[in-house]
Amino acid sequence: MRCLVGYLGERAQFGWWPTAFYEPSSRLFLEPVFSKTSRLAQYHGVLEAARRLHDDHLSAGSYHLFRLPEEVEQDLHAMMLGSTGEELVGQMPHSKEAALDSLKQLAGRTARASIGPTIVGNIKDIESAETIKALAGAYVSAFSQNAKTYPYLLG
């Protein structure tokens, strides 16, 4: 979900943040510097841009898709470092519509209209299907309305 929302938030799609890490041209400047980890660099570049935007609109201490508890962040980083992460980034949808469709599949029927900061649950439930659907649904709704939302979880 991070990769999908990260891709959709970039300037070529919905323009929530001014990055272009998932555009094909970004590999031209990332690969010489990050020859073995250019896909990881793409992921972390978008992650940081999305994290800053969400942090600017949410209160300190709240969790969101781009700022999770340290243990979860470490697990996600390890996954992205491994072959699974390379495969995930390598299989990123190459169109706005395809990415939205993938996000809609994650949301299921849980697309709730929300603009701005929106509580979607508790961090202890981060791995539950309902929490994942609520997060995905909030983003689907916002992208569909061309609005911004910042779904968050209480600590």
Side-chain angles (χ1 to χ4, degrees), residues 90-109:
Q91 296 172 2
M92 282 291 296
H94 295 296
S95 76
K96 184 177 178 176
E97 294 75 24
L100 272 173
D101 286 344
S102 295
L103 194 58
K104 285 177 186 174
Q105 287 178 349
L106 285 174
R109 299 182 190 268

Side-chain angles (χ1 to χ4, degrees), residues 63 68-69 72 120-135 153-155:
Y63 295 101
L68 296 169
V72 177
V120 293
N122 194 298
I123 193 62
K124 68 178 175 53
D125 301 320
I126 187 62
E127 294 182 23
S128 79
E130 290 307 310
T131 300
I132 300 298
K133 287 179 181 181
L135 281 165
L153 302 155
L154 294 176

Side-chain angles (χ1 to χ4, degrees), residues 2 11 49 70-71 76 82 85 99 101 103 105 130 140 144:
R2 267 186 173 178
R11 72 173 176 218
E70 188 60 32
E71 315 79 59
L76 289 171
D101 286 344
L103 194 58
Q105 287 178 349
E130 290 307 310
V140 166
S144 299

Side-chain angles (χ1 to χ4, degrees), residues 42-60:
Q42 285 176 307
Y43 167 77
H44 280 289
V46 169
L47 174 64
E48 187 59 29
R51 180 177 289 152
R52 286 180 183 191
L53 179 74
H54 282 69
D55 285 350
D56 286 348
H57 289 88
L58 297 170
S59 61

Side-chain angles (χ1 to χ4, degrees), residues 23-45:
E23 288 183 18
S25 62
S26 75
R27 297 200 63 169
L28 295 173
F29 72 86
L30 288 174
E31 284 182 351
V33 179
F34 303 100
S35 60
K36 295 182 181 179
T37 58
S38 63
R39 291 184 191 258
L40 187 63
Q42 285 176 307
Y43 167 77
H44 280 289

